[in-house]
Amino acid sequence: MAALGDSGGLGGQGGHIGPPLQEYAGPLRHVWYCYSPRMPAFDRDAMLAQLLAPGEVWDILVVGGGATGLGTAVDAAARGYRTALVEGHDFAKGTSSRSTKLVHGGVRYLQHGNVLLVLEALRERGRLLRNAPHLVRDLAFVVPSYDWWEGPFYGAGLKLYDLLAGRMGLEPSHLLSREETLDRIPTLEPQGLRGGIVYQDAQFDDARLAVTLARTLLDLGGVAVNYAKAVGLLKESGLVRGAVVRDEETGAESAVRARAIVNATGVFADDLRRLDDPESPPVLAPSQGIHLVLDRRFQPGASAILVPHTDDRRVLFAVPWQDRVVVGTTDTPVAERSLEPRPLPEEIEFLLTHAARYLTQDPKPADVLSCFAGLRPLVRGRTAEKTAALSRDHTLLVSPSGLITITGGKWTTYRRMGEDATDKAALVAGLDERPCPTADLHLHGWTEEARSGSAWAEYGADAPALARLAAERPDWDEPLHFNLPYRTCEVVWAARHEMARTVEDVLARRTRALLLDARASAEIAPAVAALLAAELGKDEPWQRRQVEAYRELARGYWLE
Ligand SMILES: Cc1cc2nc3c(=O)[nH]c(=O)nc-3n(C[C@H](O)[C@H](O)[C@H](O)COP(=O)(O)OP(=O)(O)OC[C@H]3O[C@@H](n4cnc5c(N)ncnc54)[C@H](O)[C@@H]3O)c2cc1C
């Protein structure tokens, strides 16, 4: 193990900067919703100082800042446990910024007969719509039918989907005539079309929900630090009692002590398990899924398309999102795990071919504004061979050392995963039993009048503060690029209030510029680097390195 810094190396600022934790031990609905000068800063230096405060022993330390880790940390902090989270790169850098952006029960899992999984996910869909209305909205999906049997067959399945949603249900599904189908999706291939079925599900912005969860954690008195990687585990009498955390910005390593450690590192979960026990067998079989992002002219209607059976017998989505269309996805078993997985040529070909089959305009590689890949942290089954057949349900494992690993699942069920992981962590650490309040917990930015579609709607209750920031300097209200929906002040906001540390953090996850138009995002990298440098106190060589690194990354997102 490398030399450890003192646990309080940056010391002097330990303790809470939020309100006393006891306030959160009972049922709670929401905490600070909107920016005020009294709001604790989501500032990395302050967070790191709290994480490493001398003598600090956290109740629960969560490793991994994707959907699962953030969901767990929010759950634990909401119960009043002293909670910290460390993320080795940026929040949602892994799979959690690379989803299809659906909050859904999963129509496909019904086809596989996994009714309980669908039931749970539909319940969570309802909760997310209630608790984060600024980030989640319902969306109509059309299943086109080209064969006589498809209408009644899928119609019956979707009725069951409605039924399972129960009182959390959205508008009921119904059959559409050929004309009604084309009204909703004017660019749907008309040849052979008989009609369709429309049903409701929901959609969101995955990386922004992740940042919102990190902000919620802060509101609850917890600590979250990005660019802080767990590189070792601390043990006492064979039991895990903390982690060695490396500050990826300085290289300094420190011991962080905790009563329970939750491994929520997604497809990297086996790595941490091996740090605990080099003999532990792998539990994950990652599977890659890619998406193509196209201009809205390919699908100008307000509804999404669900193709119920592709050539490899899966479903395919073409979803309007942020004034683009997201087409996906694939399911390709992969051996290598990476934070920047690359789409394979055959996956791109597969999506282009299927999109061309169902849309009147055939998209070509040059039409692809961005192409992104993500890795599903699927849990191995004993007999399953194809990853499409592996469990989408989540798995909770407790190692003999007490290390708790939570993996699998979906973004939609992150809260439920967090609840289960916290229950287990409390048990392992011998903490007081406390009820889980997150089913009704409003997330940071929640507002009565969440207005999807209006300017900065996704910032929720923080939107007025952002508007005030935009008014501070004339150039801060300027668009960053004519083909992107972002303004200069959002870069400043991301640095000041959302712990953005790099050009990539801003362009890939605080805004979604990288996914909406990878080339345009590369063009504005220098402007973003300059703004960030002013906020973070960085020099010109830093800016140059940032721009170079970002452009290199963005080149992997366009096709020609
Ligand atoms: C193609 C695709 C489409 C999908 N679409 C949907 C969808 O539409 N709806 C839905 O509900 N779900 C969807 N999912 C599933 C969902 O995205 C994932 O289940 C979820 O994002 C997994 O989150 P996670 O936190 O477990 O993993 P991750 O998001 O990968 O987070 C793990 C984090 O741990 C960090 N980490 C790793 N090692 C360390 C360490 N040693 N120290 C500190 N940090 C570390 C990583 O940097 C990473 O940020 C999709 C998945 C894929 C791949």
Side-chain angles (χ1 to χ4, degrees):
M1 188 188 300
L4 291 184
D6 181 274
S7 164
L10 294 172
Q13 294 180 46
H16 274 319
I17 47 176
L21 281 164
Q22 307 82 279
E23 273 182 27
Y24 300 116
L28 88 177
R29 261 190 93 73
H30 54 223
V31 281
W32 290 303
Y33 303 138
C34 55
Y35 175 81
S36 84
R38 281 181 46 247
M39 192 172 77
F42 194 40
D43 169 85
R44 187 172 181 277
D45 291 344
M47 292 272 115
L48 196 60
Q50 281 200 72
L51 178 76
L52 306 178
E56 180 68 82
V57 181
W58 298 94
D59 287 334
I60 299 179
L61 174 67
V62 179
V63 182
T68 309
L70 288 162
T72 303
V74 165
D75 203 285
R79 295 191 206 196
Y81 298 133
R82 292 188 59 74
T83 307
L85 177 147
V86 289
E87 161 54 50
H89 194 279
D90 185 29
F91 306 116
K93 164 68 180 182
T95 309
S96 297
S97 56
R98 299 154 188 276
S99 77
T100 313
K101 328 295 181 210
L102 303 180
V103 176
H104 61 160
V107 172
R108 181 160 93 77
Y109 312 125
L110 264 193
Q111 288 177 346
H112 291 255
N114 201 340
V115 175
L116 285 181
L117 176 62
V118 176
L119 191 67
E120 176 163 275
L122 286 172
R123 205 174 292 147
E124 292 302 325
R125 179 189 74 179
R127 288 176 172 147
L128 252 175
L129 277 160
R130 243 180 13 217
N131 294 332
H134 50 310
L135 289 164
V136 186
R137 64 174 194 119
D138 51 346
L139 178 68
F141 286 71
V142 171
V143 185
S145 49
Y146 290 89
D147 271 314
W148 66 267
W149 56 270
E150 286 179 320
F153 182 75
Y154 295 119
L158 288 165
K159 278 289 162 223
L160 175 60
Y161 198 64
D162 294 343
L163 212 68
L164 288 174
R167 63 186 177 82
M168 295 280 210
L170 305 170
E171 248 177 66
S173 60
H174 60 271
L175 293 174
L176 299 174
S177 67
R178 183 178 191 278
E179 287 64 38
E180 287 168 331
T181 307
L182 287 171
D183 269 356
R184 283 181 178 265
I185 318 267
T187 52
L188 192 64
E189 179 54 58
Q191 206 175 348
L193 182 72
R194 287 170 172 265
I197 306 124
V198 62
Y199 73 98
Q200 294 290 129
D201 239 323
Q203 108 179 129
F204 74 132
D205 182 332
D206 48 11
R208 286 221 58 87
L209 181 57
V211 172
T212 298
L213 286 169
R215 297 290 313 266
T216 307
L217 175 60
L218 170 74
D219 295 346
L220 292 164
V223 160
V225 186
N226 57 3
Y227 299 99
K229 183 170 180 173
V231 293
L233 291 171
L234 303 171
K235 288 199 174 174
E236 281 168 22
S237 316
L239 299 177
V240 278
R241 284 288 175 260
V244 181
V245 174
R246 185 170 67 214
D247 178 346
E248 296 289 59
E249 293 191 351
T250 63
E253 293 187 358
S254 310
V256 176
R257 300 191 183 277
R259 296 183 173 86
I261 311 287
V262 177
N263 172 11
T265 52
V267 292
F268 303 97
D270 285 331
D271 294 354
L272 204 68
R273 281 166 50 79
R274 272 195 291 269
L275 282 181
D276 172 40
D277 171 8
E279 303 299 312
S280 74
V283 294
L284 289 168
S287 148
Q288 174 158 298
I290 76 154
H291 297 87
L292 305 180
V293 181
L294 302 173
D295 190 273
R296 277 282 264 154
R297 77 188 146 87
F298 286 95
Q299 191 186 326
S303 306
I305 303 174
L306 180 148
V307 173
H309 51 92
T310 54
D311 290 349
D312 62 351
R313 296 161 66 161
R314 297 180 318 100
V315 302
L316 187 86
F317 291 100
V319 185
W321 184 69
Q322 309 240 358
D323 212 25
R324 304 286 192 270
V325 182
V326 177
V327 179
T329 176
T330 53
D331 203 328
T332 314
V334 288
E336 201 188 319
R337 292 145 317 127
S338 159
L339 279 175
E340 270 303 327
R342 286 277 177 261
L344 301 172
E346 55 270 30
E347 292 182 296
I348 296 167
E349 183 56 34
F350 175 89
L351 291 187
L352 287 173
T353 307
H354 278 80
R357 205 177 284 170
Y358 288 91
L359 298 175
T360 47
Q361 302 178 64
D362 297 357
K364 303 277 180 284
D367 295 314
V368 174
L369 295 169
S370 186
C371 175
F372 61 96
L375 301 180
R376 297 178 188 87
L378 300 184
V379 177
R380 284 166 191 262
R382 256 186 236 143
T383 54
E385 282 165 7
K386 287 193 64 182
T387 53
L390 296 187
S391 175
R392 258 64 177 169
D393 217 340
H394 64 269
T395 296
L396 194 60
L397 300 165
V398 184
S399 305
S401 66
L403 177 70
I404 296 144
T405 298
I406 173 112
T407 191
K410 325 197 284 166
W411 238 123
T412 307
T413 53
Y414 84 91
R415 191 209 62 81
R416 185 56 213 256
M417 294 172 74
E419 179 180 344
D420 289 353
T422 304
D423 283 347
K424 192 60 82 182
L427 194 71
V428 166
L431 304 173
D432 296 346
E433 224 178 275
R434 294 181 191 173
C436 165
T438 50
D440 296 315
L441 177 74
H442 294 163
L443 301 187
H444 180 91
W446 182 94
T447 160
E448 197 80 63
E449 64 279 351
R451 310 129 306 178
S452 222
S454 63
W456 296 324
E458 291 185 345
Y459 293 86
D462 284 339
L466 192 62
R468 283 196 296 279
L469 189 66
E472 263 180 38
R473 284 182 39 177
D475 51 331
W476 283 3
D477 201 21
E478 294 295 317
L480 280 168
H481 190 282
F482 67 91
N483 206 27
L484 291 168
Y486 305 111
R487 288 177 186 272
T488 306
C489 60
E490 290 176 82
V491 181
V492 179
W493 180 270
R496 288 188 190 173
H497 303 294
E498 296 180 343
M499 220 187 271
R501 308 293 296 176
T502 69
V503 169
E504 182 197 328
D505 295 347
V506 172
L507 291 174
R509 291 171 294 276
R510 303 307 183 278
T511 73
R512 311 314 304 275
L514 177 64
L515 303 195
L516 300 188
D517 190 332
R519 282 188 182 83
S521 77
E523 286 168 23
I524 56 175
V528 171
L531 285 158
L532 270 186
E535 289 299 317
L536 304 176
K538 304 287 186 185
D539 56 16
E540 273 201 38
W542 181 87
Q543 291 183 46
R544 271 198 301 278
R545 287 196 300 277
Q546 282 288 312
V547 171
E548 237 168 70
Y550 182 74
R551 287 191 165 157
E552 177 65 30
L553 176 122
R555 264 194 290 278
Y557 286 69
W558 66 73
L559 299 185
E560 324 193 298

